[in-house]
Amino acid sequence: KWDTPKKRERSAPGNSRPFIAGDRVIVSSFDGGGVVDAANGKTLFYFKGRESLGFSPEHKTGFTRTGKGLLAFDLTAANFTRRFETNNSDIDYSPLPMLLINGKLWVASNNGKILIINPANGNVERSFQCGFSALVGILPVEDTVWVTLNEGTALQFPANI
């Protein structure tokens, strides 16, 4: 259990799970989340976003969906510190996966697109229209990345895009 600014139980559908990032744990629900000190369970700060989370491999930056784009925040700070926030209609509130692969953030969309984003500034470097439904899986396998869509399609990409 984690302390929360709202005096009610917090729960979330979809892609809701805690992430361990070094000495911190990122927890979330459908309307926000928090960064918790793993040693003592105290919440360090809260952020507004969805339950779809990601973080950089060095555990310094966290990523979440805002409903109108992507929010990156500093995981090493004592208080909430925004690194960047984007405005992109392809990144909505959907609890879909995002995954950092070879230094690029792969973000699934609800409209069949996969977005490949520079995690330092939030700029979309590439995007591919893979189908018409939600992308429900991003799986790196050796030097490739498989994406799967709700419609039953699976596509393979080179991991070094």
Side-chain angles (χ1 to χ4, degrees):
K1 181 173 169 142
W2 57 291
D3 57 334
T4 172
K6 297 184 179 185
K7 301 300 179 205
R8 61 181 170 80
E9 184 177 313
R10 296 176 70 95
S11 61
N15 194 24
S16 183
R17 62 186 186 275
F19 280 90
I20 298 171
D23 61 350
R24 304 206 171 176
V25 179
I26 310 169
V27 292
S28 64
S29 75
F30 66 93
D31 64 348
V35 175
V36 177
D37 184 305
N40 61 26
K42 299 272 187 212
T43 300
L44 301 170
F45 60 84
Y46 300 98
F47 58 87
K48 184 73 175 157
R50 279 297 295 223
E51 67 270 23
S52 185
L53 299 169
F55 59 89
S56 63
E58 73 281 356
H59 303 143
K60 292 184 178 179
T61 304
F63 303 97
T64 189
R65 295 170 183 270
T66 64
K68 60 181 180 179
L70 186 68
L71 170 67
F73 52 93
D74 187 345
L75 284 173
T76 64
N79 299 305
F80 175 78
T81 305
R82 178 181 288 113
R83 291 196 188 262
F84 66 79
E85 189 167 356
T86 67
N87 189 1
N88 186 319
S89 62
D90 287 322
I91 305 172
D92 59 10
Y93 270 123
S94 302
L96 302 172
M98 64 177 75
L99 189 61
L100 203 68
I101 302 169
N102 290 342
K104 304 292 180 197
L105 188 63
W106 291 58
V107 179
S109 76
N110 204 27
N111 62 7
K113 277 188 184 173
I114 187 79
L115 305 167
I116 301 171
I117 295 174
N118 181 329
N121 57 25
N123 292 336
V124 175
E125 294 186 351
R126 310 266 318 252
S127 69
F128 299 96
Q129 189 69 49
C130 301
F132 59 86
S133 65
L135 274 122
V136 294
I138 303 172
L139 178 66
V141 179
E142 296 177 6
D143 58 350
T144 64
V145 177
W146 285 90
V147 298
T148 54
L149 289 89
N150 208 27
E151 66 206 48
T153 303
L155 300 167
Q156 185 181 32
F157 293 90
N160 63 353
I161 281 183

